[in-house]
Amino acid sequence: MDRKREAKIEKRVKEKIIIFDGAMGTSLQKYSLTPDDFWGKDGCYEILNLSRPEIVGEVHVSFLKAGCEVIETNTFGASRLALEENGLRDKAYEINLAAARLAREVASSFSTSDRPRFVSGSMGPGKRLPSLGQIGFDELGNSYYEQAAGLIDGGVDLLQVETAQDLLQIKAALVAIFKAQKEKSKKLPVMVDVTVDSSGRMLLGTDMLTLVTALSSFPLFSVGLNCGDGPQVMVEALRILKRNSPFLISALPNAGRPALKDGKYVYNLSPDVFASELKKLIEEFGVSLAGGCCGTTPEHLKAAIREIEHFHPARRNYRFSPGCASTFRAQPFRVKPRPLIIAERTNVNGSQAFRSLLLKEDFESMAEVAREQQREGAHLTDVALATPGRDEAADWKIFMPKLNLNLEIPVMIDTTNVRALEAALKNYGGKVIINSINLEDGGHKAQEIIAVAREFGAALIALTLDENGLARTAKEKLRVASRLYELLVEENNFEPADIFFDPLTFSLATGDRDYYDAGWQTIAAIRLIKDKFTRSQTILGISNISYGLTAELRPYINSIFLSLALEAGLDAAIIHHSKIMPLPKIPEKILKLGKDLVLNRRRANYDPLAELLSEKSLLPSLSVSLRKNIRPEEVVVEAVVNGEAAQIEELIRELLKEYSPLSIINEFLLKGMDRVGELFGSQNLPLPFVLKSAETVKKALTVIKPYLPADDENRHRGRIVLATVKGDVHDIGKNLVGLILEANGFEVIDLGINQEAGKIIQAIDEFKPQAVGLSGLLVKSCWMMKDYLETMTEHGLKIPVLCGGAALERSFVGKVLKPIYQGDVYYGKDAMEALEIMKLLAERKVKNT
């Protein structure tokens, strides 16, 4: 292994911007090549490595003379699958070996001690995408493996997966590359370059935050962009990478947009313009590896080198949150408010309905169960398919592709069957959590699963279960967790942030004195584990605590146990979250008895479990019905807080007989949402219940809207564009703001949820609003608002901006948002405060006219 070359390139990138070459194909097209040069395989430029190596060498020389430090092998289409179209599949290794040796020889002839030259092994995407079912993971991976083997044996300095369009395709390439490196005892840097559209997304809809999260557990040298329609198209994607990527950033754009002229593609950026645009990308987005792709000639790179030759890599203050990802969405492991919610109804062991669907092989309906949990607010879904008499691996092979392209929330793979696990991972592009490993057999099975998790870049749940069985006391749970940490981190170099410790719990329903303190011991273990392993997470299957209790009791005990576990620091919970309730919704006596049961506060002549089981009259229906003889305001507030969507419509219709529509909104519904906000802020109302309350208010507003006054003279006092920021799909607060503003004479342009900055800027230009309203429920949305304001400033905008959302605070607006925007930024605590701000802006407009 040539450690000298490896050390040089990794050291060099810390000293200066590394300059790659340009387009091999564009240069080769300038030669008068004949069919004989292509061995009758017209257009297969990779065959020139064997038929006309001197021409390929001349192209390498031209870029090195221009000043490039890295030349890419002429192997973009040299995988077995790509060569198959020309009947050359059996020459894949030979072509890659020859191309690498040729580039190595040329680069070495230019390399000096103070200016080393490097060779990057180019590995293109081919024409078939695994996520679309066009090719299998193993077939694609084998093709990449053969290509990587030839490039490594030929002496490349790094390997470059480029023009990638599919997360699953990237994963197949990386698994193959690292397998080849391991078998050949080589450790080379690995680059991943993807191609995006103007929105900053890959072909299948993956954004850059999702990309880096999905790849975060692979040991990559860099993640960046290549190809596309020129440098400008890369801006939005690079903006996200700059602020969120833990990897070095690369940018190798085309020379603008291609156009067909006289049967050839012509690119519209001159060398000087290309150089200027590339320089901007480096200066603004912290790019460390730069070069060109289609249409870029030695002249383009020579001009670029004049601009950037002496640049030093910029320091990036990125903020990366460890997490998992689907094809479409990144999900941080640590959320606020806790817990990370993992839905459990896609588990054949916990859901008879889901098991029945599997037995009927109704995979579409199974996928719909997962989507329903997504709509209910789950962050992930736990999927378990192991069923006696069925081939678990075969079921994963059918079911996982449906989740890969049709589910936004990521997946937890619940299996200890290694063959089934691999089948699942080979059909899912995102980053999963594997559930789980333990030390029951001393760690032999755990070692197998750890190896698979590392190979596919997955996170892991580690159970406090060893050769002695389930650890019972807090100290025993910590001891087993410590052994697991040693196995994972110290023996297998596993990333601590990718570990979830599950301290497990016994049921409180057994009546066995040895397990009276099962709940308390688990809660104590959470504290101990969190204190010792600060970079890792804790997780629990909440419903285990109540297994065996009556159906009436279980939701109460589960809810109380979850609340106490969260106080101890629990990060994630596997729960049927629609059956979890906030503590204020639990009757006072049940709450006291439940806490006494979980915390084992038994004493002489007092057994909280016995009292709970004997006092069935204490257990009202889980859905609190609307009651008479209570003030209407209190009834509406209760309905909103409890999320009683079924009753709210009838109640509103009754209230409309006595109260005005605006009174119901301002005096009843808003107070209910205020109460929801208070409970949410104090972590007494989990996120799913906020969403249930939101749906309840939505239904109420649907009933009210036709009754709102249409005062023509008071209409259009001003116009506002409203949008929920990118990555956030919550809209209840935004919708309520819009309705209140409309009722008070303002025109509202509602762009909807998950909106990018570019769409908002486009709407400003189109509708000429008086203000923009940015909304978001999540903590990350607050930082997204900062990104949007910076982008708006870059576009020269000064329009007033209202910012609001559950996680947003007035101090954040004042200290973070206002200083970076050249216009006015306002904090809208709620719909009524947003209305007052818009009234002030309207008065200012009137005074200025």
Side-chain angles (χ1 to χ4, degrees), residues 4 26 28 48 101 112 115-116 124-125 141 147 220 304 367 424 546 582 603 611 741 758-759 780 813 817 824:
K4 185 177 180 181
T26 299
L28 289 174
L48 299 176
R101 285 176 172 171
T112 63
R115 190 174 178 82
Q147 184 174 22
L220 300 179
S546 65
R603 55 182 183 272
E611 293 205 19
L741 291 177
K759 294 291 185 182
K780 68 176 184 180
V813 174
L817 300 186
D824 293 331

Side-chain angles (χ1 to χ4, degrees), residues 53 79 143 185 241 245 254 343 364 401 428 435 464 560 614 673 693 742 772 827:
S79 68
S143 179
S185 299
L241 290 175
S245 178
N254 287 353
E364 290 296 338
Y428 191 76
N435 186 7
T464 54
I560 292 167
S614 64
M673 289 305 294
S693 296
E742 285 181 340
V772 170
Y827 171 62

